[in-house]
Structure formats: structure tokens, C-alpha cells
């Protein structure tokens, strides 16, 4: 079974982590309460994807968290933070005992919302310790499939140290795929230097990640607001972060579902790179699925209509975690993936491919760049779900946004001294990151304006 | 005379499983210890000391999930190197993952050969579009050919949907076909599109699943390769492949009835079945005319059942105007009749044919691959494993030559 190591860096990364692990347990029917439930256990065969089970235990069936802890089952996670607060949840919170002390790297007192502090100072300083934790986790894997990295790009630790860890991974483990899910604090920027941090981090991500599944805060906020309005979840605004994180977590679970559960048209995480990235570095991928599922309403419903609704929702711009519209007439789709979870058939997927191909716009070559997959296991509490991935030239707008914000500060060289005062910080990082963003914008524009090449096929000899 | 099957990747393994289910069903319906029963049992199964049937089959995959779902006890030779799949990339499968399994596969082939009295052929199953089946399959079959230069190698390959199911399917198909075309004795192609069409309209299924498609493929393969009296598989194929430039075969069968409905179907007479077969063909003719005139190089009709096919039907089957001129008619058209039922069908007809209909799907694939190639899309995934543009151009050249030969007949 394919295994993943989750690497959560910084406050945001660890918060997502603290939402992720309970959901994973829930998906495997492991109850968090000390008392075991009596529900039949399902799908625990792929339990080792996220957890290291000691070889002494032969049958994988666990009822409760307590049982996991007693059997020395450990989460495949590396938690890194330069503050203590969030990681302490894993040490002392509900999930106590599930995480290994060796795989937690913490320090006091943070990276001051400064990418340079994370990347140039804490990075080299903690490299040995981080590598040790990584080695410890990797040694406990039989078939390591990939690293899942979670961090935000706006701050100091997640952004700086996160991208530093990414560099380490690509240097020391070049053959293992590096999936990055990074949160862009667009729309809620509360840190004055976050445009710099965003740009500097994005440059590193572009250089080193296999696939990137970016998330924008403003999209999460909208989704939470809509959930609230629809009465899906009675939340107060204090809990908004929890709800926002749960959308990211759902996305991660969908993303890895194909590698963890079987299906009649199997798809693995490493298929995503091949199918979705037509050119090097064009690896920012938008993810979509229906966020507004009232589980009570559809628990028993399997109708065709529901399945189709799931498809339409997953292509809808309101359900993307990036503020783009995959079906917009102004942008072109480079590649797409449709993954049906639950009761989908080939005929369903064929119909959806037809619909997608007639609705969206494509480049001269990308009309058939479609990957379909079927996964037998639907998400927890749902009977069917459809998850889609899009690589589209609309991603231009994300880079444009980052570039504009960055440039408005950099033009006047504002706040640069916070960065240059850090030892080992190279002033070239600024220019490089700027060029990197410009380069991406140019690449997407070029693809949009690409005229079809009509080179005749080879003549037979 | 036995056949060893090798199944690569998810598609190959699923077909392998349904194929042996079909075969078991067919064999158990035969009178025990009749000659046909013994022949077909020995062809596909080993009987171990406890009387259990073991498939003469080797399953190969790079992902443990699919194999895990195979529960039947027939399969003993399972090779899984769980590296998490071949990423839908022919190059990854061919260059990297194949090296992990090829030694084990050849060892097991040798072991299976020792269990058989006489092996004539290898049947390989895989889909063309993916990474494991297509890529690992290519490499292992190359090595198999090196080890066993004299045995017949039949590649049964599944073509992907034309509309797309994997972004890199066109490259993967191209690379596989150009590698294996010269190596195998023949390639039996199954078009997913046609199978889906068949399931929708002949079997009247609203929602088609892979199990439906796999069972059609299995029935088609079983109806062809079940023993034909004294005729061996190799000689059947030798007659169809009259020229090394034309190695693609396709199968059509009648009747096609879904399992649930079989109880309500009245047994059809041979004449009706022949008519239905013709109707299937007419659909093709309309499609091919775009590229060139419809021409048949060779075809073989296999009839299984107690009723005799009427002479006049056979005559019209044999004397069609579409036959190529450079082969005498008795060479290019063959009819085999076996007085045994096939599965629960009282009469069953299957046609194995070699004609230029195959141009339509293959041309579309080369077209797609060429469009991707000229826009340089997805190339970096292949160059990562050492497949540069030169390599791909070479593959294009091979396929263009093959297609051109079919165009020129």
C-alpha cells in the first residue's frame, strides 16, 4: 500500500494537521473517544498509508484511538514549528501518543513573519535535526509514495522553513514525489511583509515541488460563509479557521483516496504529475469538489442526478480552492482529472468528459488531456463524490496577484532591511523571485496565445 | 498443448481474472473426460496433486491494490512490486519498474513451462494507455522473446477511449505498439469504444462497468483460443498472419447476451447469428471509407455448437469482394467448426480478422500523439527516463510505416 509522510510546517501547517489527523481516523472508523464503538470496521487495509503499524500486530483493525496508542501505532508525520503552541496539541491534546517525539522539531520564539529568518537562519540551524526526523519516518515505510507538505506562504516559519525543507527533500530524496499544499493568505493579509514571503516562497516551490495544490484564504472564507448561510454547519466566526481547515483536509483526503483505496479504474498519486503537468514548472493545480454536502440528506440517495450534481459542483468556480474559473471562456484548460468516488460507472464518466469538452476551452493539443479515475470508497458520510483537478491558464491570475502585491512593496524597497539583516540572505533572492513570477505569467500568456502548429506527420519510408 | 498467459497492469489483471472465470465455466459445462474437456483443461489449467485447478498464468503489477482484489485461488504466480504504480508513463514502466520484475517473471515462466507437457504459445494481456501494462509489458515481452524465440507470442492489447482517459495515452500506445509490433507474432486489438458500444446496444446496459467490458473481452478471447480440434493456436494464427507487415487482428463474436438475460433468450440459429455478424461489420465499413477502401487480408470463422452452419452462409462469408487480390481465397478465408457448445450458448460464432479497419483507431492515436509531440507537451516526463525526441521520432516512423502498409493494401 502506498505510504505518505505528512510534513506540517509552521502555525498554519500544523493547524491543518490537527484537523487532518482526526478526519483520517474518522475515515477509517477509529473513534477518538476512549470507548470503542460497535460499528463494523471498513477499509482499514490502507491504514498503513498514513500510519506506521508495528510489525508485531498482524491484523489491522482498530476501534479506538486508545487501541492505536496501546499498540504503538504512530502517525507518519513530521511536525516542524518555531513556536511551541500548535505542536503542543499533538504532544498533549486529544491525539496524544499518536505522534513521535522524534518527529517534532520545535523552538521558541518563531520566525518573526520573515521568510529569510526561516529559510536562511532556522533552516541551516535545524537541518540535521529535521533530516534525522525525516530519516526516522522514512525508515518506517515499505513503499513510500510521496511527501505531503502543508504550510502557509505568508508567514515566516511555514514559508521560509517550509520551503527550506522542500529543498532538502528534493536534494536528499529526489526520486520521491513532493506534493505541496500551500495556503496563500490572499484577501486576509494581516502581515505587512507577507507579499515578500509569498513571492520568495513561491519561487522555491516552483523550483522544487512535484505538484502544488494551492489554496487561497479568500476562497475558503467564501466557502465557509456559504456553508453558514445554507445551514450546513452552525458555526460562529471563532471557529471559522477550523471550518476553513476542514475544506483543505477534505481536499487532501480526496487527493490521496486513489492511492489508498482500490477502484476499478485505479489512479495513484504519481499519475497526477504525469497527467496534469504538460510542461515543467506548470505544476500549480486547482482542486474542486462539492463543499456543501448535507450528509443527512443524501446518505441514502444514489441517483443519477446526485452524481451529476457532484460533477457540476466540482467544476464550479465557487468550489475551487483558488479564485479561478476552470470553465471560463477567457482561459484554456491544459489538463483535467475527474475522479469518481463511490457508485460511478464508465458511462457516467464518459458523459462528463463530453460535457467538459464541450463547455471548456482548450489549447490546440489539450482537448484529450483528461484523466479519469474510479475509487470504490466514497468519503465519510457520503455515498458518492466527484473530485476534479484542473490545470488552467487562469492560474495566471494567482501569479499576477502575487506579483502586483510584491511589486508595490519592492518598487520602493520597503521593509527590505528586515531581510538583508539576516545572515546568509542573498539579495538576489528578491530579483530571482520576481523573475520567477514574471516567467510564470509569461508562460501562461504564451500558452493562451499559442497558435496551433500544423506540422505534417512523418512520411512513411 | 498449453497456453501460458501473462497479465500486466490493472487492465491486464482484471481481464486475466475474468478470462479464467469464463474458461472454468466453459470447461465445467463439458462432458467430463471427453476429449474436448481434457484438451481445454490441459490448455489453461494445471491440476495439482489435490485436484485443484491452477491457472497457467502469471500476474504482474506495480501496485498492490488491484492484485489484492483478486481472490480466486487459481492464481499462484503473482508478482507485485509495490512501487505505487508506473505513473501512467510508459517510460517509467519500461525503463525503471520493469527491471524490478523481469527476473521473477522469467523464472515463473520457466516454472510454468516445466509444469506443461507442451507449450505452444504465450498470451499477453495489457492495456496500451497506462504505464505498467504498456511499459513493463513491453520490456518483459521483449525479454520473453529473447528467451523463447520459437514460441508463438500473442499480444492482446486494449486501446483506450478516443476521447481520452489518460493525458499521455497517445504516447504510451505509440511507444508500446512500435516496440512490440515486430516482436509479437500478432497483436489482437480491443477497442474500448467498440466494447462500450457493444455493451450499451447489444447487452442493453445503461450503466457500463469495467466488469462488463472485461467479460466481453474474456468471452471473445476464450471463444477463439479454446481448442479447435486438431488445429493448434499457432497454426490458426499462422494462416491469418500471411505477411509480417500485417499483424493486427480483431475479434467479433455473436451472440452477445448479458448474463442476467441469458435465461430469457431463445437460442439463435446460425443463420441469424451470421446476419448479426454482418450487421456488426457494416458499421465498420462506413467508418473506414474515410481512409481507404475496405480490404480484408484474411479472416477465420470459428463456429462452436451442435448445429451446422448452412453451406450458403459459409459461401457468402467466403466469397466477399473485399478480399485482397494477392492471396488465393482459400488461403485468406478459413472456417473451423467444433461440435461443442461454448459456455451456455448452443451456437456461438466468432470471427478473427485481419483487415484495414484497424486504421481508424490507430490513425487517431498517431494523430493525437503527433499533436502533443509537435507542441512539445508532456515530453519532459519521458526525457526524464532517457527517451529523447529522437527516440519518439523513431517510434513515430515505425508506426507510420505500419499504418502505410495497411493503407496500401
Amino acid at each position: 500500500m502506498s505510504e505518505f509522510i505528512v510534513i506540517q510546517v509552521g502555525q498554519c501547517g500544523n493547524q491543518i494537521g490537527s484537523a487532518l489527523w482526526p478526519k483520517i481516523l474518522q475515515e477509517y472508523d477509529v473513534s477518538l473517544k476512549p470507548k470503542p464503538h460497535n460499528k463494523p470496521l471498513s477499509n482499514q487495509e490502507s491504514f498503513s498509508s498514513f500510519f506506521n503499524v508495528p510489525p508485531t500486530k498482524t491484523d489491522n483493525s482498530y476501534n479506538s484511538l486508545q487501541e492505536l496508542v496501546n499498540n504503538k501505532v504512530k502517525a507518519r508525520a513530521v511536525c516542524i514549528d518555531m513556536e511551541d503552541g500548535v505542536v503542543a496539541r499533538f504532544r498533549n491534546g486529544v491525539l496524544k501518543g499518536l505522534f513521535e517525539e522524534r518527529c517534532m522539531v520545535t523552538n521558541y520564539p518563531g520566525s518573526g513573519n520573515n521568510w529569510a529568518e526561516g529559510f536562511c537562519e532556522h533552516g541551516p540551524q535545524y537541518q540535521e535535526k529535521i533530516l534525522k526526523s525525516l530519516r526516522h519516518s522514512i525508515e518506517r515505510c515499505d513503499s513510500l509514495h510521496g511527501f505531503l507538505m502543508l504550510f502557509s506562504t505568508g508567514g515566516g516559519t511555514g514559508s521560509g522553513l517550509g520551503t527550506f525543507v522542500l529543498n532538502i527533500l528534493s536534494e536528499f530524496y529526489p526520486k520521491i514525489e513532493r506534493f505541496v499544499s500551500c495556503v496563500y493568505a490572499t484577501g486576509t493579509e494581516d502581515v505587512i511583509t507577507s507579499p515578500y514571503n509569498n513571492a520568495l516562497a513561491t519561487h522555491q516551490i516552483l523550483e522544487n515541488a512535484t505538484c502544488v495544490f494551492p489554496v487561497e484564504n479568500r476562497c475558503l472564507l467564501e466557502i465557509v460563509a456559504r456553508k453558514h448561510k445554507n445551514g450546513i454547519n452552525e458555526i460562529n466566526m471563532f471557529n471559522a479557521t477550523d471550518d476553513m481547515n476542514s475544506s483543505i483536509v477534505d481536499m487532501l483526503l480526496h487527493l490521496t483516496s486513489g492511492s489508498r483505496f482500490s477502484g476499478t479504474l485505479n489512479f495513484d498519486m504519481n499519475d497526477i504529475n504525469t497527467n496534469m503537468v504538460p510542461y515543467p514548472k506548470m505544476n500549480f493545480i486547482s482542486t474542486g469538489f462539492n463543499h456543501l454536502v448535507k450528509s443527512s440528506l443524501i446518505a441514502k440517495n444514489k441517483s443519477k442526478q446526485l452524481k451529476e450534481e457532484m460533477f457540476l459542483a466540482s467544476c464550479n468556480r465557487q468550489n475551487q480552492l483558488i479564485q479561478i474559473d476552470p470553465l471560463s471562456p477567457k482561459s484554456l484548460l491544459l489538463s483535467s482529472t475527474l475522479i469518481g468516488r463511490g457508485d460511478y460507472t464508465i458511462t457516467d464518466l464518459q458523459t462528463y468528459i463530453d460535457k467538459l469538452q464541450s463547455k471548456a476551452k482548450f489549447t490546440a493539443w489539450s482537448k484529450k488531456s483528461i484523466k479519469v479515475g474510479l475509487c470504490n470508497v466514497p468519503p465519510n458520510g457520503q455515498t458518492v463524490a466527484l473530485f476534479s483537478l484542473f490545470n488552467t491558464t487562469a492560474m495566471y491570475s494567482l501569479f499576477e496577484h502575487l506579483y502586483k502585491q510584491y511589486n508595490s512593496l519592492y518598487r520602493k524597497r520597503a521593509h527590505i532591511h528586515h531581510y538583508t539583516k539576516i545572515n546568509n540572505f542573498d539579495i538576489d533572492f528578491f530579483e530571482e523571485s520576481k523573475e520567477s513570477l514574471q516567467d510564470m505569467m509569461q508562460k501562461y500568456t504564451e500558452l493562451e496565445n499559442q497558435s496551433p502548429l500544423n506540422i505534417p506527420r512523418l512520411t512513411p519510408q | 498443448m498449453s497456453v501460458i498467459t501473462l497479465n500486466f497492469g490493472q487492465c491486464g489483471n482484471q481481464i486475466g481474472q475474468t478470462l479464467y472465470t469464463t474458461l472454468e465455466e466453459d470447461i465445467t459445462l463439458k462432458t467430463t473426460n471427453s476429449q474436448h474437456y481434457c484438451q481445454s483443461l490441459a490448455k489453461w489449467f494445471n491440476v495439482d496433486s489435490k485436484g485443484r485447478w491452477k491457472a497457467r498464468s502469471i500476474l504482474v503489477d506495480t501496485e498492490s491494490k488491484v492484485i489484492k482484489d483478486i481472490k480466486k485461488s487459481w492464481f499462484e504466480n503473482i508478482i507485485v512490486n509495490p512501487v505505487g504504480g508506473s505513473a501512467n508513463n510508459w517510460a517509467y514502466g519500461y525503463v525503471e519498474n520493469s527491471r524490478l520484475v523481469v527476473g521473477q517473471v522469467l523464472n515463473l515462466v520457466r516454472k510454468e513451462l516445466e509444469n506443461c507437457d507442451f507449450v505452444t504459445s504465450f498470451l499477453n494481456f495489457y492495456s496500451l494507455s497506462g504505464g505498467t501494462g504498456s511499459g513493463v509489458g513491453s520490456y518483459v515481452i521483449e525479454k520473453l522473446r529473447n528467451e523463447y524465440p520459437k514460441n508463438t507470442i500473442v499480444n492482446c492489447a486494449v486501446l483506450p477511449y478516443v476521447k481520452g482517459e489518460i493525458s499521455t495515452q497517445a504516447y504510451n500506445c505509440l511507444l508500446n505498439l512500435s516496440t512490440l509490433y515486430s516482436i509479437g507474432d500478432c497483436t489482437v486489438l480491443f477497442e474500448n469504444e467498440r466494447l462500450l458500444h457493444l455493451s450499451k446496444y447489444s447487452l442493453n446496459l445503461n450503466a457500463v462497468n469495467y466488469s462488463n467490458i472485461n467479460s466481453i473481452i474474456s468471452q471473445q478471447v476464450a471463444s477463439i483460443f479454446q481448442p479447435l480440434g486438431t488445429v493448434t493456436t499457432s497454426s490458426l494464427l499462422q494462416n491469418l498472419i500471411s505477411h509480417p507487415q500485417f499483424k493486427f487482428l480483431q475479434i467479433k463474436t455473436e451472440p452477445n447476451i448479458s448474463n442476467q438475460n441469458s435465461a430469457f433468450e431463445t437460442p439463435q440459429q446460425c443463420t441469424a447469428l451470421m446476419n448479426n455478424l454482418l450487421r456488426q461489420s457494416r458499421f465498420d465499413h462506413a467508418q473506414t471509407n474515410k481512409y481507404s477502401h475496405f480490404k480484408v487480408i484474411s479472416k477465420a470463422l470459428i463456429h462452436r455448437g451442435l448445429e451446422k452452419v448452412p453451406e450458403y452462409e459459409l459461401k457468402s462469408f467466403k466469397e466477399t469482394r473485399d478480399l485482397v487480390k494477392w492471396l488465393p481465397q482459400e488461403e485468406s478465408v478459413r472456417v473451423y467448426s467444433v461440435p461443442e457448445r461454448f459456455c451456455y450458448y448452443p451456437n456461438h460464432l466468432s470471427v478473427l480478422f485481419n483487415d484495414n479497419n484497424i486504421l481508424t483507431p490507430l490513425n487517431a492515436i498517431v494523430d493525437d500523439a503527433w499533436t502533443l509531440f509537435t507542441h512539445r507537451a508532456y515530453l519532459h516526463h519521458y526525457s526524464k527516463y532517457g527517451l529523447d525526441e529522437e527516440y519518439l521520432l523513431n517510434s513515430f516512423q515505425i508506426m507510420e510505416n505500419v499504418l502505410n502498409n495497411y493503407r496500401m493494401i
Side-chain angles (χ1 to χ4, degrees), chain B residues 124-387:
Chain B
N124 304 313
F125 294 92
Y126 52 83
S127 81
L128 289 168
S129 53
T132 306
S134 190
V136 175
S138 297
Y139 186 79
V140 173
I141 294 166
E142 273 181 346
K143 294 288 162 232
L144 191 72
R145 175 47 95 206
N146 275 345
E147 293 267 304
Y148 306 100
K150 296 256 168 79
N151 289 64
T152 312
I153 292 183
V154 183
N155 296 323
C156 299
V158 180
L159 287 163
Y161 294 103
V162 181
K163 275 178 207 149
E165 55 181 272
I166 289 175
S167 304
T168 48
Q169 63 183 26
Y171 282 148
N172 295 336
C173 291
L174 175 87
L175 287 162
N176 177 292
L177 290 173
S178 60
T179 311
L180 290 186
Y181 190 69
S182 56
I183 287 171
D185 289 274
C186 70
T187 307
V188 184
L189 289 175
F190 297 91
E191 292 169 70
N192 254 347
E193 217 92 38
R194 185 194 297 274
L195 296 169
L196 191 68
H197 187 269
L198 200 65
S199 333
K200 263 190 192 162
Y201 299 104
S202 296
L203 304 185
N204 278 326
L205 294 171
N206 290 325
V208 183
N209 256 323
Y210 274 93
S211 54
N212 307 119
I213 287 187
N214 291 336
S215 75
I216 296 180
I217 295 180
S218 306
Q219 288 209 353
Q220 293 191 336
V221 171
S223 73
I224 297 286
F225 292 108
Q226 270 286 45
L228 284 174
T230 53
V231 183
T232 62
T233 308
S234 346
S235 62
L236 165 75
L237 294 172
Q238 260 163 25
N239 291 331
L240 283 159
I241 312 294
S242 47
H243 192 288
Q245 276 171 357
F246 306 107
K247 283 188 186 172
F248 288 122
L249 297 178
Q250 282 187 288
I251 303 174
K252 270 181 211 147
T253 52
E254 277 295 335
N256 294 296
I257 302 165
S258 70
N259 277 345
Q260 305 120 325
N261 295 350
S262 58
F264 306 104
E265 293 282 338
T266 47
Q268 283 176 301
Q269 288 187 317
C270 285
T271 318
L273 293 179
M274 283 300 283
N275 276 333
N276 288 345
L277 266 182
L278 272 181
R279 209 171 297 139
Q280 275 191 37
S281 312
R282 233 173 261 143
F283 169 77
D284 295 330
H285 294 193
Q287 292 209 316
T288 332
N289 280 342
K290 274 187 281 182
Y291 298 102
S292 60
H293 289 292
F294 177 61
K295 282 279 176 217
V296 178
I297 298 165
S298 46
K299 55 184 179 178
L301 177 76
I302 297 168
H303 167 246
R304 294 176 191 277
L306 297 172
E307 192 191 340
K308 273 226 157 105
V309 187
E311 252 337 289
Y312 59 92
E313 290 288 356
L314 289 180
K315 202 171 167 216
S316 70
F317 177 78
K318 283 177 182 164
E319 291 170 5
T320 51
R321 283 176 297 138
D322 305 324
L323 293 175
V324 286
K325 297 279 181 291
W326 42 265
L327 268 178
Q329 192 223 62
E330 61 273 22
E331 282 292 320
S332 56
V333 186
R334 308 248 169 185
V335 176
Y336 305 91
S337 202
V338 184
E340 287 282 348
R341 288 161 62 112
F342 176 66
C343 290
Y344 40 77
Y345 303 112
N347 281 298
H348 190 274
L349 291 177
S350 38
V351 183
L352 192 58
F353 54 91
N354 185 352
D355 65 24
N356 63 1
N357 263 333
I358 201 63
L359 273 172
T360 320
L362 293 184
N363 202 49
I365 283 165
V366 178
D367 244 352
D368 289 347
W370 187 249
T371 314
L372 288 179
F373 183 72
T374 50
H375 291 87
R376 314 179 55 80
Y378 295 104
L379 283 181
H380 67 287
H381 295 297
Y382 292 83
S383 57
K384 193 160 68 181
Y385 297 103
L387 267 67

Side-chain angles (χ1 to χ4, degrees), chain B residues 90-115:
Chain B
W90 186 89
Y92 187 35
Y94 185 79
V95 177
E96 297 238 323
N97 288 343
S98 59
R99 317 289 149 120
L100 305 172
V101 295
V102 68
Q104 274 175 291
V105 178
L106 293 176
N107 276 341
L108 285 177
V109 168
R110 206 169 302 124
K111 194 195 98 190
E112 277 305 314
L113 278 171
E114 284 162 10
N115 281 336

Side-chain angles (χ1 to χ4, degrees), chain A residues 2 143 258 263 266 268 270-271 274-275 277-279 346-347 354 357 368 370-372 453 455 457 459 461, chain B residues 10 63 65 82 84 87-88 161 163 165-167 208 363 367-368 370 375-376 378 380-381 397 400-401:
Chain A
S2 317
S143 60
N266 178 41
D268 290 303
N270 58 7
D271 296 350
T274 317
N275 282 288
V277 186
Y279 298 106
I346 321 173
T347 343
D354 279 344
Q357 285 179 337
K368 289 178 184 172
I370 286 187
K371 160 83 179 167
V372 290
L453 297 166
I455 301 169
R457 271 164 52 177
T459 45
Q461 285 167 355
Chain B
Q10 177 168 37
E63 231 304 313
K65 288 194 299 289
N88 292 160
Y161 294 103
K163 275 178 207 149
E165 55 181 272
I166 289 175
S167 304
V208 183
N363 202 49
D367 244 352
D368 289 347
W370 187 249
H375 291 87
R376 314 179 55 80
Y378 295 104
H380 67 287
H381 295 297
Q397 190 63 63
E400 292 291 358
N401 295 349

Side-chain angles (χ1 to χ4, degrees), chain A residues 402-426:
Chain A
L402 294 176
Y403 177 71
K404 272 188 180 161
Q405 290 220 313
Y406 169 82
N407 220 22
S408 67
L409 284 181
Y410 188 65
R411 239 187 348 227
K412 301 199 174 100
R413 301 290 187 273
H415 298 289
I416 280 199
H417 63 283
H418 295 304
Y419 292 81
T420 47
K421 74 175 182 205
I422 307 280
N423 283 342
N424 304 327
F425 182 81
D426 192 344

